[in-house]
Amino acid sequence: MNQAFYTGLTGMQSYQFGLDVISNNISNINTTGFRSSNAEFASFYDNALGAALNGGPTNDGIGTGVRVQTTTMDESYGSFLSTDSATDLSIGGDGWFGVTSNFGDMFTRAGAFTFDSDRNLVSYDGMYLLGTMGNNLSGDTMTDIVSTTPLAAASAQDKITLPVNLTIDAEPTTTANFWGNLRSDEALIRQNSTVIAPDGDDSFLTLDYTKSAIQPEVGSSWDILATLSSKVDNTVFDTQEGVAVFNSNGALESYTIAPLDNEGVSLTVDLGEDFAGVTAIDNLEVSYGSSHDGRTAGELIGYDVNIHGEVIASFDNGVSSSVARVAIFHFQNDQGLERISGTHFKESSNSGEPIFYTNENGESILGADLKSFSLENSNMQFEQGLTELIIMQRSLDANSKSITTGDELIKKALEMDA
């Protein structure tokens, strides 16, 4: 009879703990990045009632109670919620965001980040998001355009700081490309292209074509006057003369135009070759087109994060570049992580140190897609939680009943003795 009391008491204690775990799960059903817990139970030592016969695999026994063995983390993924913020991030697969504060590094699936007063990406509880900054930022100026920012070592990740007034300097034009068609019945044909001066201002590059006084026996020859001038007041910066020679089919055979002086920068005129560029075919319409390298100065429009974790800065001159990369950490044993809160965990000796996955070239990769404008909901399913709550409550009631039954049996025994 004492066994009934002991078994019931340990059962009530254990299942009360289980109720607390499930209740906590349900209360966090709307917590972003929450990972629910599962309570696991084990029996105390059994009292053997009989030995196995003939070497059989089982013994008859009766347990002496139940105890809480551990709580495990549910590693399933929550659903994804679309948001209107580019700094709301979710992980489409395995992995963890790294965040840090004065209390050390922690790891989370909660990806609701924003900017603090120093333009650091932080969680809403003030922890810095960890990642790798690019080498193309100097103060509030981006010095280089890159498509990717390689991840530093997992142990070398730091906070991500993104300037609010980022700019990119102008880059002068060094090559202007022209294409189109010339017709011999036109006295003067003009082609234009906008080019970028070193100070970022626009200039005009004009090519004037006139038929050469002396023509080859086969094909045609055109004199070219190249003029580089100011877009504002038509001030001429430089002029160069050249000749373009075409074969009988109108394809470009050769041309000579010396580079122009683009305010201290050499500017090359490229007319193409063969039929890829400028042609001279009489039965086609006169046409022209142009392109050039270089760029105007640009001011930041905003930041976005792509699926590879690249933080992309976009400018009003059409330039986009990676300036940082968000890190996604992995562990040998996620179940070994030490839970600090419903959404934050710390590494332990059981989890191992945080690592990065690598590709076949030995380069660090995220190992999962990163989604911006998206948050991962709690992985707790409400209907599952209610079902577990009912089961746990009935288990608690059953153990309570065993104590009541044991008490009644003792009373009966005492009455029989009397």
PDB file of all heavy atoms in Angstrom, residues 18-32 34-38 74 339 342 378-393:
ATOM      1  N   GLY A  18       5.239  17.888 -16.579  1.00  0.00           N
ATOM      2  CA  GLY A  18       4.839  17.771 -17.979  1.00  0.00           C
ATOM      3  C   GLY A  18       3.781  18.790 -18.351  1.00  0.00           C
ATOM      4  O   GLY A  18       3.825  19.371 -19.447  1.00  0.00           O
ATOM      5  N   LEU A  19       2.827  19.018 -17.447  1.00  0.00           N
ATOM      6  CA  LEU A  19       1.815  20.048 -17.701  1.00  0.00           C
ATOM      7  C   LEU A  19       2.450  21.423 -17.837  1.00  0.00           C
ATOM      8  O   LEU A  19       2.039  22.226 -18.678  1.00  0.00           O
ATOM      9  CB  LEU A  19       0.792  20.054 -16.559  1.00  0.00           C
ATOM     10  CG  LEU A  19      -0.289  18.985 -16.592  1.00  0.00           C
ATOM     11  CD1 LEU A  19      -1.102  19.021 -15.301  1.00  0.00           C
ATOM     12  CD2 LEU A  19      -1.209  19.180 -17.796  1.00  0.00           C
ATOM     13  N   ASP A  20       3.460  21.706 -17.004  1.00  0.00           N
ATOM     14  CA  ASP A  20       4.133  23.002 -17.077  1.00  0.00           C
ATOM     15  C   ASP A  20       4.824  23.175 -18.428  1.00  0.00           C
ATOM     16  O   ASP A  20       4.787  24.261 -19.025  1.00  0.00           O
ATOM     17  CB  ASP A  20       5.158  23.126 -15.948  1.00  0.00           C
ATOM     18  CG  ASP A  20       4.509  23.188 -14.573  1.00  0.00           C
ATOM     19  OD1 ASP A  20       3.308  23.505 -14.510  1.00  0.00           O
ATOM     20  OD2 ASP A  20       5.204  22.909 -13.574  1.00  0.00           O
ATOM     21  N   VAL A  21       5.459  22.101 -18.916  1.00  0.00           N
ATOM     22  CA  VAL A  21       6.143  22.169 -20.210  1.00  0.00           C
ATOM     23  C   VAL A  21       5.149  22.431 -21.333  1.00  0.00           C
ATOM     24  O   VAL A  21       5.360  23.309 -22.182  1.00  0.00           O
ATOM     25  CB  VAL A  21       6.932  20.864 -20.472  1.00  0.00           C
ATOM     26  CG1 VAL A  21       7.458  20.828 -21.905  1.00  0.00           C
ATOM     27  CG2 VAL A  21       8.084  20.730 -19.487  1.00  0.00           C
ATOM     28  N   ILE A  22       4.060  21.686 -21.343  1.00  0.00           N
ATOM     29  CA  ILE A  22       3.070  21.856 -22.415  1.00  0.00           C
ATOM     30  C   ILE A  22       2.407  23.225 -22.330  1.00  0.00           C
ATOM     31  O   ILE A  22       2.158  23.880 -23.348  1.00  0.00           O
ATOM     32  CB  ILE A  22       2.018  20.735 -22.336  1.00  0.00           C
ATOM     33  CG1 ILE A  22       2.683  19.384 -22.573  1.00  0.00           C
ATOM     34  CG2 ILE A  22       0.921  20.965 -23.369  1.00  0.00           C
ATOM     35  CD1 ILE A  22       1.779  18.199 -22.313  1.00  0.00           C
ATOM     36  N   SER A  23       2.122  23.673 -21.105  1.00  0.00           N
ATOM     37  CA  SER A  23       1.509  24.992 -20.944  1.00  0.00           C
ATOM     38  C   SER A  23       2.432  26.084 -21.464  1.00  0.00           C
ATOM     39  O   SER A  23       1.981  27.050 -22.105  1.00  0.00           O
ATOM     40  CB  SER A  23       1.194  25.238 -19.469  1.00  0.00           C
ATOM     41  OG  SER A  23       0.266  24.284 -18.982  1.00  0.00           O
ATOM     42  N   ASN A  24       3.715  25.933 -21.200  1.00  0.00           N
ATOM     43  CA  ASN A  24       4.678  26.910 -21.726  1.00  0.00           C
ATOM     44  C   ASN A  24       4.703  26.886 -23.248  1.00  0.00           C
ATOM     45  O   ASN A  24       4.774  27.926 -23.897  1.00  0.00           O
ATOM     46  CB  ASN A  24       6.066  26.615 -21.163  1.00  0.00           C
ATOM     47  CG  ASN A  24       7.115  27.605 -21.660  1.00  0.00           C
ATOM     48  OD1 ASN A  24       7.070  28.789 -21.347  1.00  0.00           O
ATOM     49  ND2 ASN A  24       8.056  27.119 -22.454  1.00  0.00           N
ATOM     50  N   ASN A  25       4.633  25.688 -23.827  1.00  0.00           N
ATOM     51  CA  ASN A  25       4.589  25.579 -25.286  1.00  0.00           C
ATOM     52  C   ASN A  25       3.379  26.316 -25.861  1.00  0.00           C
ATOM     53  O   ASN A  25       3.486  27.078 -26.824  1.00  0.00           O
ATOM     54  CB  ASN A  25       4.533  24.112 -25.706  1.00  0.00           C
ATOM     55  CG  ASN A  25       5.846  23.374 -25.466  1.00  0.00           C
ATOM     56  OD1 ASN A  25       6.896  23.993 -25.280  1.00  0.00           O
ATOM     57  ND2 ASN A  25       5.774  22.066 -25.445  1.00  0.00           N
ATOM     58  N   ILE A  26       2.220  26.065 -25.272  1.00  0.00           N
ATOM     59  CA  ILE A  26       0.990  26.676 -25.783  1.00  0.00           C
ATOM     60  C   ILE A  26       1.025  28.193 -25.610  1.00  0.00           C
ATOM     61  O   ILE A  26       0.575  28.946 -26.488  1.00  0.00           O
ATOM     62  CB  ILE A  26      -0.231  26.074 -25.075  1.00  0.00           C
ATOM     63  CG1 ILE A  26      -0.372  24.588 -25.450  1.00  0.00           C
ATOM     64  CG2 ILE A  26      -1.505  26.830 -25.450  1.00  0.00           C
ATOM     65  CD1 ILE A  26      -1.491  23.865 -24.721  1.00  0.00           C
ATOM     66  N   SER A  27       1.564  28.664 -24.489  1.00  0.00           N
ATOM     67  CA  SER A  27       1.609  30.113 -24.259  1.00  0.00           C
ATOM     68  C   SER A  27       2.530  30.821 -25.238  1.00  0.00           C
ATOM     69  O   SER A  27       2.403  32.029 -25.458  1.00  0.00           O
ATOM     70  CB  SER A  27       2.058  30.403 -22.822  1.00  0.00           C
ATOM     71  OG  SER A  27       3.411  30.013 -22.627  1.00  0.00           O
ATOM     72  N   ASN A  28       3.461  30.075 -25.858  1.00  0.00           N
ATOM     73  CA  ASN A  28       4.404  30.667 -26.830  1.00  0.00           C
ATOM     74  C   ASN A  28       4.036  30.323 -28.268  1.00  0.00           C
ATOM     75  O   ASN A  28       4.895  30.389 -29.151  1.00  0.00           O
ATOM     76  CB  ASN A  28       5.827  30.186 -26.545  1.00  0.00           C
ATOM     77  CG  ASN A  28       6.463  30.895 -25.372  1.00  0.00           C
ATOM     78  OD1 ASN A  28       6.923  32.021 -25.488  1.00  0.00           O
ATOM     79  ND2 ASN A  28       6.478  30.232 -24.218  1.00  0.00           N
ATOM     80  N   ILE A  29       2.771  29.994 -28.499  1.00  0.00           N
ATOM     81  CA  ILE A  29       2.376  29.558 -29.834  1.00  0.00           C
ATOM     82  C   ILE A  29       2.506  30.679 -30.864  1.00  0.00           C
ATOM     83  O   ILE A  29       2.625  30.433 -32.058  1.00  0.00           O
ATOM     84  CB  ILE A  29       0.940  29.004 -29.797  1.00  0.00           C
ATOM     85  CG1 ILE A  29       0.674  28.133 -31.015  1.00  0.00           C
ATOM     86  CG2 ILE A  29      -0.081  30.129 -29.666  1.00  0.00           C
ATOM     87  CD1 ILE A  29      -0.547  27.265 -30.882  1.00  0.00           C
ATOM     88  N   ASN A  30       2.516  31.933 -30.423  1.00  0.00           N
ATOM     89  CA  ASN A  30       2.683  33.071 -31.336  1.00  0.00           C
ATOM     90  C   ASN A  30       4.041  33.746 -31.184  1.00  0.00           C
ATOM     91  O   ASN A  30       4.230  34.857 -31.686  1.00  0.00           O
ATOM     92  CB  ASN A  30       1.572  34.097 -31.090  1.00  0.00           C
ATOM     93  CG  ASN A  30       0.205  33.595 -31.509  1.00  0.00           C
ATOM     94  OD1 ASN A  30       0.078  32.961 -32.543  1.00  0.00           O
ATOM     95  ND2 ASN A  30      -0.801  33.862 -30.698  1.00  0.00           N
ATOM     96  N   THR A  31       4.973  33.089 -30.512  1.00  0.00           N
ATOM     97  CA  THR A  31       6.314  33.652 -30.327  1.00  0.00           C
ATOM     98  C   THR A  31       7.191  33.321 -31.526  1.00  0.00           C
ATOM     99  O   THR A  31       7.402  32.143 -31.848  1.00  0.00           O
ATOM    100  CB  THR A  31       6.972  33.113 -29.049  1.00  0.00           C
ATOM    101  OG1 THR A  31       6.148  33.450 -27.925  1.00  0.00           O
ATOM    102  CG2 THR A  31       8.353  33.708 -28.852  1.00  0.00           C
ATOM    103  N   THR A  32       7.706  34.334 -32.202  1.00  0.00           N
ATOM    104  CA  THR A  32       8.537  34.133 -33.395  1.00  0.00           C
ATOM    105  C   THR A  32       9.782  33.329 -33.049  1.00  0.00           C
ATOM    106  O   THR A  32      10.500  33.648 -32.104  1.00  0.00           O
ATOM    107  CB  THR A  32       8.960  35.489 -33.978  1.00  0.00           C
ATOM    108  OG1 THR A  32       7.795  36.217 -34.350  1.00  0.00           O
ATOM    109  CG2 THR A  32       9.860  35.303 -35.184  1.00  0.00           C
ATOM    110  N   PHE A  34      10.076  30.369 -31.806  1.00  0.00           N
ATOM    111  CA  PHE A  34      10.007  29.510 -30.618  1.00  0.00           C
ATOM    112  C   PHE A  34      10.127  28.045 -31.013  1.00  0.00           C
ATOM    113  O   PHE A  34       9.520  27.596 -31.977  1.00  0.00           O
ATOM    114  CB  PHE A  34       8.694  29.739 -29.874  1.00  0.00           C
ATOM    115  CG  PHE A  34       8.510  28.865 -28.670  1.00  0.00           C
ATOM    116  CD1 PHE A  34       9.155  29.153 -27.485  1.00  0.00           C
ATOM    117  CD2 PHE A  34       7.696  27.742 -28.734  1.00  0.00           C
ATOM    118  CE1 PHE A  34       8.978  28.347 -26.367  1.00  0.00           C
ATOM    119  CE2 PHE A  34       7.514  26.929 -27.623  1.00  0.00           C
ATOM    120  CZ  PHE A  34       8.165  27.235 -26.438  1.00  0.00           C
ATOM    121  N   ARG A  35      10.932  27.308 -30.249  1.00  0.00           N
ATOM    122  CA  ARG A  35      11.054  25.862 -30.420  1.00  0.00           C
ATOM    123  C   ARG A  35      10.480  25.179 -29.186  1.00  0.00           C
ATOM    124  O   ARG A  35      10.966  25.385 -28.068  1.00  0.00           O
ATOM    125  CB  ARG A  35      12.510  25.467 -30.623  1.00  0.00           C
ATOM    126  CG  ARG A  35      13.042  25.839 -32.025  1.00  0.00           C
ATOM    127  CD  ARG A  35      13.377  24.579 -32.771  1.00  0.00           C
ATOM    128  NE  ARG A  35      13.504  24.804 -34.197  1.00  0.00           N
ATOM    129  CZ  ARG A  35      14.468  24.255 -34.937  1.00  0.00           C
ATOM    130  NH1 ARG A  35      15.401  23.532 -34.375  1.00  0.00           N
ATOM    131  NH2 ARG A  35      14.481  24.447 -36.227  1.00  0.00           N
ATOM    132  N   SER A  36       9.440  24.393 -29.384  1.00  0.00           N
ATOM    133  CA  SER A  36       8.759  23.768 -28.256  1.00  0.00           C
ATOM    134  C   SER A  36       9.606  22.661 -27.643  1.00  0.00           C
ATOM    135  O   SER A  36      10.555  22.156 -28.252  1.00  0.00           O
ATOM    136  CB  SER A  36       7.407  23.215 -28.702  1.00  0.00           C
ATOM    137  OG  SER A  36       7.585  22.236 -29.712  1.00  0.00           O
ATOM    138  N   SER A  37       9.227  22.278 -26.412  1.00  0.00           N
ATOM    139  CA  SER A  37       9.938  21.241 -25.672  1.00  0.00           C
ATOM    140  C   SER A  37       9.031  20.038 -25.445  1.00  0.00           C
ATOM    141  O   SER A  37       7.802  20.159 -25.400  1.00  0.00           O
ATOM    142  CB  SER A  37      10.405  21.782 -24.313  1.00  0.00           C
ATOM    143  OG  SER A  37      11.294  22.855 -24.464  1.00  0.00           O
ATOM    144  N   ASN A  38       9.642  18.894 -25.280  1.00  0.00           N
ATOM    145  CA  ASN A  38       8.928  17.666 -24.963  1.00  0.00           C
ATOM    146  C   ASN A  38       9.483  17.099 -23.664  1.00  0.00           C
ATOM    147  O   ASN A  38      10.703  16.949 -23.515  1.00  0.00           O
ATOM    148  CB  ASN A  38       9.079  16.617 -26.068  1.00  0.00           C
ATOM    149  CG  ASN A  38       8.550  17.107 -27.397  1.00  0.00           C
ATOM    150  OD1 ASN A  38       7.428  17.588 -27.473  1.00  0.00           O
ATOM    151  ND2 ASN A  38       9.349  17.001 -28.450  1.00  0.00           N
ATOM    152  N   ASP A  74      11.950  20.176 -29.786  1.00  0.00           N
ATOM    153  CA  ASP A  74      11.298  19.808 -31.044  1.00  0.00           C
ATOM    154  C   ASP A  74      12.006  20.551 -32.167  1.00  0.00           C
ATOM    155  O   ASP A  74      11.983  21.773 -32.234  1.00  0.00           O
ATOM    156  CB  ASP A  74       9.823  20.182 -30.991  1.00  0.00           C
ATOM    157  CG  ASP A  74       9.060  19.775 -32.249  1.00  0.00           C
ATOM    158  OD1 ASP A  74       9.695  19.292 -33.202  1.00  0.00           O
ATOM    159  OD2 ASP A  74       7.833  19.947 -32.272  1.00  0.00           O
ATOM    160  N   ARG A 339      19.175  25.597 -23.424  1.00  0.00           N
ATOM    161  CA  ARG A 339      18.099  26.565 -23.613  1.00  0.00           C
ATOM    162  C   ARG A 339      18.214  27.678 -22.583  1.00  0.00           C
ATOM    163  O   ARG A 339      18.254  27.430 -21.375  1.00  0.00           O
ATOM    164  CB  ARG A 339      16.739  25.888 -23.497  1.00  0.00           C
ATOM    165  CG  ARG A 339      15.566  26.813 -23.833  1.00  0.00           C
ATOM    166  CD  ARG A 339      14.240  26.121 -23.560  1.00  0.00           C
ATOM    167  NE  ARG A 339      13.960  25.069 -24.523  1.00  0.00           N
ATOM    168  CZ  ARG A 339      13.263  25.234 -25.642  1.00  0.00           C
ATOM    169  NH1 ARG A 339      12.787  26.429 -25.953  1.00  0.00           N
ATOM    170  NH2 ARG A 339      13.048  24.221 -26.455  1.00  0.00           N
ATOM    171  N   GLY A 342      12.823  30.660 -24.497  1.00  0.00           N
ATOM    172  CA  GLY A 342      12.081  29.917 -25.507  1.00  0.00           C
ATOM    173  C   GLY A 342      12.669  30.029 -26.901  1.00  0.00           C
ATOM    174  O   GLY A 342      12.453  29.169 -27.748  1.00  0.00           O
ATOM    175  N   SER A 378       6.316  30.044 -34.341  1.00  0.00           N
ATOM    176  CA  SER A 378       6.549  28.955 -33.400  1.00  0.00           C
ATOM    177  C   SER A 378       6.240  27.617 -34.069  1.00  0.00           C
ATOM    178  O   SER A 378       5.332  27.521 -34.901  1.00  0.00           O
ATOM    179  CB  SER A 378       5.653  29.142 -32.176  1.00  0.00           C
ATOM    180  OG  SER A 378       5.624  27.974 -31.388  1.00  0.00           O
ATOM    181  N   ASN A 379       7.013  26.583 -33.725  1.00  0.00           N
ATOM    182  CA  ASN A 379       6.738  25.262 -34.297  1.00  0.00           C
ATOM    183  C   ASN A 379       5.734  24.473 -33.459  1.00  0.00           C
ATOM    184  O   ASN A 379       5.526  23.283 -33.677  1.00  0.00           O
ATOM    185  CB  ASN A 379       8.032  24.467 -34.477  1.00  0.00           C
ATOM    186  CG  ASN A 379       8.691  24.093 -33.150  1.00  0.00           C
ATOM    187  OD1 ASN A 379       8.306  24.582 -32.085  1.00  0.00           O
ATOM    188  ND2 ASN A 379       9.699  23.242 -33.206  1.00  0.00           N
ATOM    189  N   MET A 380       5.119  25.140 -32.487  1.00  0.00           N
ATOM    190  CA  MET A 380       4.091  24.499 -31.669  1.00  0.00           C
ATOM    191  C   MET A 380       2.751  24.519 -32.393  1.00  0.00           C
ATOM    192  O   MET A 380       2.261  25.572 -32.794  1.00  0.00           O
ATOM    193  CB  MET A 380       3.966  25.225 -30.323  1.00  0.00           C
ATOM    194  CG  MET A 380       2.953  24.602 -29.381  1.00  0.00           C
ATOM    195  SD  MET A 380       3.419  22.919 -28.959  1.00  0.00           S
ATOM    196  CE  MET A 380       1.921  22.330 -28.197  1.00  0.00           C
ATOM    197  N   GLN A 381       2.151  23.332 -32.561  1.00  0.00           N
ATOM    198  CA  GLN A 381       0.829  23.218 -33.177  1.00  0.00           C
ATOM    199  C   GLN A 381      -0.229  23.218 -32.076  1.00  0.00           C
ATOM    200  O   GLN A 381      -0.158  22.432 -31.130  1.00  0.00           O
ATOM    201  CB  GLN A 381       0.737  21.940 -34.009  1.00  0.00           C
ATOM    202  CG  GLN A 381       1.766  21.845 -35.122  1.00  0.00           C
ATOM    203  CD  GLN A 381       1.575  22.927 -36.163  1.00  0.00           C
ATOM    204  OE1 GLN A 381       0.439  23.261 -36.521  1.00  0.00           O
ATOM    205  NE2 GLN A 381       2.668  23.477 -36.651  1.00  0.00           N
ATOM    206  N   PHE A 382      -1.187  24.104 -32.199  1.00  0.00           N
ATOM    207  CA  PHE A 382      -2.171  24.283 -31.132  1.00  0.00           C
ATOM    208  C   PHE A 382      -2.949  22.999 -30.848  1.00  0.00           C
ATOM    209  O   PHE A 382      -3.139  22.610 -29.688  1.00  0.00           O
ATOM    210  CB  PHE A 382      -3.136  25.413 -31.497  1.00  0.00           C
ATOM    211  CG  PHE A 382      -4.083  25.778 -30.401  1.00  0.00           C
ATOM    212  CD1 PHE A 382      -3.622  26.358 -29.229  1.00  0.00           C
ATOM    213  CD2 PHE A 382      -5.437  25.530 -30.536  1.00  0.00           C
ATOM    214  CE1 PHE A 382      -4.504  26.689 -28.203  1.00  0.00           C
ATOM    215  CE2 PHE A 382      -6.324  25.855 -29.518  1.00  0.00           C
ATOM    216  CZ  PHE A 382      -5.855  26.435 -28.351  1.00  0.00           C
ATOM    217  N   GLU A 383      -3.401  22.326 -31.909  1.00  0.00           N
ATOM    218  CA  GLU A 383      -4.179  21.101 -31.703  1.00  0.00           C
ATOM    219  C   GLU A 383      -3.340  20.013 -31.044  1.00  0.00           C
ATOM    220  O   GLU A 383      -3.820  19.240 -30.212  1.00  0.00           O
ATOM    221  CB  GLU A 383      -4.775  20.602 -33.027  1.00  0.00           C
ATOM    222  CG  GLU A 383      -3.766  20.255 -34.107  1.00  0.00           C
ATOM    223  CD  GLU A 383      -3.328  21.467 -34.918  1.00  0.00           C
ATOM    224  OE1 GLU A 383      -3.616  22.598 -34.494  1.00  0.00           O
ATOM    225  OE2 GLU A 383      -2.692  21.263 -35.965  1.00  0.00           O
ATOM    226  N   GLN A 384      -2.047  19.960 -31.406  1.00  0.00           N
ATOM    227  CA  GLN A 384      -1.158  18.990 -30.773  1.00  0.00           C
ATOM    228  C   GLN A 384      -0.993  19.307 -29.291  1.00  0.00           C
ATOM    229  O   GLN A 384      -1.006  18.415 -28.438  1.00  0.00           O
ATOM    230  CB  GLN A 384       0.206  19.011 -31.476  1.00  0.00           C
ATOM    231  CG  GLN A 384       1.252  18.135 -30.815  1.00  0.00           C
ATOM    232  CD  GLN A 384       2.631  18.314 -31.423  1.00  0.00           C
ATOM    233  OE1 GLN A 384       2.783  18.930 -32.484  1.00  0.00           O
ATOM    234  NE2 GLN A 384       3.641  17.786 -30.769  1.00  0.00           N
ATOM    235  N   GLY A 385      -0.847  20.601 -28.984  1.00  0.00           N
ATOM    236  CA  GLY A 385      -0.671  21.003 -27.601  1.00  0.00           C
ATOM    237  C   GLY A 385      -1.882  20.668 -26.749  1.00  0.00           C
ATOM    238  O   GLY A 385      -1.739  20.194 -25.605  1.00  0.00           O
ATOM    239  N   LEU A 386      -3.076  20.907 -27.290  1.00  0.00           N
ATOM    240  CA  LEU A 386      -4.282  20.581 -26.532  1.00  0.00           C
ATOM    241  C   LEU A 386      -4.408  19.083 -26.280  1.00  0.00           C
ATOM    242  O   LEU A 386      -4.806  18.647 -25.189  1.00  0.00           O
ATOM    243  CB  LEU A 386      -5.514  21.084 -27.278  1.00  0.00           C
ATOM    244  CG  LEU A 386      -5.742  22.601 -27.275  1.00  0.00           C
ATOM    245  CD1 LEU A 386      -7.005  22.945 -28.048  1.00  0.00           C
ATOM    246  CD2 LEU A 386      -5.833  23.130 -25.842  1.00  0.00           C
ATOM    247  N   THR A 387      -4.065  18.280 -27.292  1.00  0.00           N
ATOM    248  CA  THR A 387      -4.114  16.825 -27.127  1.00  0.00           C
ATOM    249  C   THR A 387      -3.157  16.369 -26.036  1.00  0.00           C
ATOM    250  O   THR A 387      -3.515  15.563 -25.161  1.00  0.00           O
ATOM    251  CB  THR A 387      -3.771  16.130 -28.454  1.00  0.00           C
ATOM    252  OG1 THR A 387      -4.693  16.551 -29.460  1.00  0.00           O
ATOM    253  CG2 THR A 387      -3.837  14.620 -28.303  1.00  0.00           C
ATOM    254  N   GLU A 388      -1.926  16.881 -26.079  1.00  0.00           N
ATOM    255  CA  GLU A 388      -0.938  16.501 -25.061  1.00  0.00           C
ATOM    256  C   GLU A 388      -1.363  16.987 -23.678  1.00  0.00           C
ATOM    257  O   GLU A 388      -1.120  16.315 -22.669  1.00  0.00           O
ATOM    258  CB  GLU A 388       0.426  17.085 -25.430  1.00  0.00           C
ATOM    259  CG  GLU A 388       1.032  16.469 -26.681  1.00  0.00           C
ATOM    260  CD  GLU A 388       2.338  17.121 -27.069  1.00  0.00           C
ATOM    261  OE1 GLU A 388       2.678  18.170 -26.468  1.00  0.00           O
ATOM    262  OE2 GLU A 388       3.028  16.598 -27.963  1.00  0.00           O
ATOM    263  N   LEU A 389      -2.021  18.142 -23.640  1.00  0.00           N
ATOM    264  CA  LEU A 389      -2.483  18.683 -22.363  1.00  0.00           C
ATOM    265  C   LEU A 389      -3.535  17.764 -21.740  1.00  0.00           C
ATOM    266  O   LEU A 389      -3.510  17.492 -20.526  1.00  0.00           O
ATOM    267  CB  LEU A 389      -3.055  20.078 -22.585  1.00  0.00           C
ATOM    268  CG  LEU A 389      -3.282  20.950 -21.339  1.00  0.00           C
ATOM    269  CD1 LEU A 389      -1.963  21.291 -20.687  1.00  0.00           C
ATOM    270  CD2 LEU A 389      -4.028  22.225 -21.728  1.00  0.00           C
ATOM    271  N   ILE A 390      -4.441  17.262 -22.568  1.00  0.00           N
ATOM    272  CA  ILE A 390      -5.476  16.348 -22.070  1.00  0.00           C
ATOM    273  C   ILE A 390      -4.854  15.052 -21.571  1.00  0.00           C
ATOM    274  O   ILE A 390      -5.204  14.539 -20.484  1.00  0.00           O
ATOM    275  CB  ILE A 390      -6.511  16.065 -23.177  1.00  0.00           C
ATOM    276  CG1 ILE A 390      -7.294  17.338 -23.507  1.00  0.00           C
ATOM    277  CG2 ILE A 390      -7.450  14.939 -22.769  1.00  0.00           C
ATOM    278  CD1 ILE A 390      -8.170  17.212 -24.734  1.00  0.00           C
ATOM    279  N   ILE A 391      -3.912  14.505 -22.347  1.00  0.00           N
ATOM    280  CA  ILE A 391      -3.252  13.252 -21.938  1.00  0.00           C
ATOM    281  C   ILE A 391      -2.519  13.437 -20.619  1.00  0.00           C
ATOM    282  O   ILE A 391      -2.606  12.607 -19.701  1.00  0.00           O
ATOM    283  CB  ILE A 391      -2.285  12.784 -23.045  1.00  0.00           C
ATOM    284  CG1 ILE A 391      -3.058  12.382 -24.299  1.00  0.00           C
ATOM    285  CG2 ILE A 391      -1.425  11.620 -22.550  1.00  0.00           C
ATOM    286  CD1 ILE A 391      -2.185  12.089 -25.495  1.00  0.00           C
ATOM    287  N   MET A 392      -1.784  14.538 -20.505  1.00  0.00           N
ATOM    288  CA  MET A 392      -1.008  14.785 -19.293  1.00  0.00           C
ATOM    289  C   MET A 392      -1.923  14.997 -18.094  1.00  0.00           C
ATOM    290  O   MET A 392      -1.638  14.524 -16.991  1.00  0.00           O
ATOM    291  CB  MET A 392      -0.106  15.995 -19.510  1.00  0.00           C
ATOM    292  CG  MET A 392       1.122  16.042 -18.610  1.00  0.00           C
ATOM    293  SD  MET A 392       2.298  14.701 -18.911  1.00  0.00           S
ATOM    294  CE  MET A 392       2.846  15.089 -20.572  1.00  0.00           C
ATOM    295  N   GLN A 393      -3.057  15.713 -18.295  1.00  0.00           N
ATOM    296  CA  GLN A 393      -3.982  15.952 -17.203  1.00  0.00           C
ATOM    297  C   GLN A 393      -4.618  14.640 -16.730  1.00  0.00           C
ATOM    298  O   GLN A 393      -4.777  14.408 -15.525  1.00  0.00           O
ATOM    299  CB  GLN A 393      -5.067  16.929 -17.655  1.00  0.00           C
ATOM    300  CG  GLN A 393      -6.071  17.289 -16.565  1.00  0.00           C
ATOM    301  CD  GLN A 393      -5.433  17.984 -15.395  1.00  0.00           C
ATOM    302  OE1 GLN A 393      -4.768  19.007 -15.558  1.00  0.00           O
ATOM    303  NE2 GLN A 393      -5.621  17.434 -14.192  1.00  0.00           N
TER     304      GLN A 393
END
